[in-house]
Amino acid sequence: MGKLLEGEVCVITGASRGIGQAIAVRFKEEGALVYGLSRSKPEANIEWIPCDVADEVSIESAVNSIFQKENRIDIVVNNAGITRDGLIMRMKTEDWDAVLNANLRSAFIMSRAVSRMMLRQRSGCILNISSVVGLHGNGGQANYAASKAGIIGLTKSLAKELASRNIRVNALAPGYIETAMTSVLPDAAKQSLTTSIPLARPGTPAEVAEAALFLCSPRASYITGVVLNVDGGMGM
Ligand code: NDP
């Protein structure tokens, strides 16, 4: 059987570690040419373009440099994300802005930049990484939950807007996945999260990457505008 993403040009934000890195590695195994965009250099053997997704110019210049080299962009995964948790009364406006800029505004700017090319190509696929927290909310994460809920609105709107040009737009909603982002949680919080998961364990970045591969591959050619939970049943 042939590889699922043979020759596809893919851009993945936040591919320097965690979920983004796992997606980059998996896509490469399936024959894709993968460009990772992040501030620090990825450990994985992929093309790297230094990029701060909170900066509009940085995203647009990265996209332009890929397009000049490859003359097309087939798949974009808006994965980069941060947390700045805190209770609402103590949440600084800067913490709100930082999270919304890195998690949501970045996906808007990236999608706008690549949609110009995808519209010309009359094909493309955008995958946005949301979260179960974007579907259900979470105390202490008003900024993060708002950014991840916004990702879902962005995903469904772009899916409707771009479908007639054969551009699919979907989202993943991971639950509790073991990465640097969650490793900083206190042990008690990790334990309580695990108790809330029907499959009774955290997920791995590789498990999220499998779902990403499916949604970005021709196997999902008739799927657009969906939010797929990858959460061990946590969000049921
Ligand atoms: P990590 O903290 O392990 O990795 C985050 C990635 O985002 C890094 O590669 C980082 O690269 C990149 N990034 C952050 N800020 C920027 C920026 N300003 N510019 C460019 N790149 C940036 O997180 P995860 O792998 O856990 O998370 C990946 C995505 O999955 C995020 O959107 C997160 O919200 C989401 N998610 C994670 C869950 C989990 O349980 N882990 C659950 C649900 C959703 P660098 O620092 O090098 O710039």
Side-chain angles (χ1 to χ4, degrees), residues 13-21 37-42 48 50-55 58-59 78-83 98 101-103 106 128-133 144 147-148 172-183 185 193 203 205 208 230:
T13 67
S16 60
R17 57 177 183 270
I19 292 170
Q21 176 173 264
L37 274 49
S38 53
R39 295 164 301 180
S40 52
K41 194 174 188 306
W48 174 53
C51 175
D52 179 352
V53 298
D55 175 19
S58 184
I59 294 180
N78 287 310
N79 162 82
I82 59 167
T83 52
N101 285 345
N103 296 9
S106 60
N128 296 320
I129 308 300
S130 178
S131 166
V132 285
V133 167
Y144 183 77
S147 74
K148 294 300 183 180
L172 290 181
Y176 167 27
I177 310 298
E178 273 180 332
T179 67
M181 183 180 273
T182 50
S183 69
L185 293 171
L193 275 170
V208 181
V230 186

Side-chain angles (χ1 to χ4, degrees), residues 3-236:
K3 293 184 172 181
L4 277 175
L5 302 180
E6 193 68 65
E8 305 267 306
V9 179
C10 302
V11 181
I12 302 172
T13 67
S16 60
R17 57 177 183 270
I19 292 170
Q21 176 173 264
I23 294 172
V25 168
R26 190 70 188 93
F27 281 20
K28 200 175 168 192
E29 280 170 6
E30 289 295 333
L33 174 54
V34 176
Y35 286 89
L37 274 49
S38 53
R39 295 164 301 180
S40 52
K41 194 174 188 306
E43 279 167 27
N45 179 23
I46 55 169
E47 301 289 328
W48 174 53
I49 301 187
C51 175
D52 179 352
V53 298
D55 175 19
E56 180 170 1
V57 174
S58 184
I59 294 180
E60 291 187 339
S61 75
V63 167
N64 286 339
S65 72
I66 297 166
F67 192 69
Q68 269 164 22
K69 255 172 102 177
E70 308 298 340
N71 208 29
R72 60 183 300 112
I73 292 176
D74 300 295
I75 296 171
V76 169
V77 183
N78 287 310
N79 162 82
I82 59 167
T83 52
R84 294 273 189 281
D85 297 350
L87 298 173
I88 189 73
M89 279 173 64
R90 285 191 227 123
M91 187 175 285
K92 296 193 179 92
T93 309
E94 302 91 79
D95 292 334
W96 174 274
D97 289 344
V99 168
L100 270 287
N101 285 345
N103 296 9
L104 180 59
R105 184 173 173 272
S106 60
F108 151 64
I109 291 166
M110 173 62 84
S111 301
R112 183 179 61 189
V114 297
S115 65
R116 292 187 187 118
M117 294 144 201
M118 290 178 174
L119 285 166
R120 277 203 297 273
Q121 289 165 198
R122 291 188 171 265
S123 70
C125 176
I126 298 172
L127 180 67
N128 296 320
I129 308 300
S130 178
S131 166
V132 285
V133 167
L135 291 161
H136 298 281
N138 195 24
Q141 289 199 306
N143 49 0
Y144 183 77
S147 74
K148 294 300 183 180
I151 282 284
I152 293 171
L154 176 72
T155 299
K156 293 186 176 183
S157 300
L158 294 185
K160 288 184 174 177
E161 193 172 316
L162 302 173
S164 66
R165 302 289 186 94
N166 192 31
I167 300 166
R168 299 184 300 106
V169 188
N170 292 298
L172 290 181
Y176 167 27
I177 310 298
E178 273 180 332
T179 67
M181 183 180 273
T182 50
S183 69
V184 295
L185 293 171
D187 284 345
K190 289 180 185 165
Q191 191 53 49
S192 135
L193 275 170
T194 305
T195 312
S196 72
I197 302 170
L199 286 179
R201 65 171 177 85
T204 65
E207 288 173 312
V208 181
E210 286 304 323
L213 174 61
F214 167 66
L215 283 176
C216 292
S217 79
R219 289 184 182 166
S221 56
Y222 201 53
I223 299 178
T224 196
V226 305
V227 182
L228 178 61
N229 286 38
V230 186
D231 64 356
M234 190 187 202
M236 264 192 289

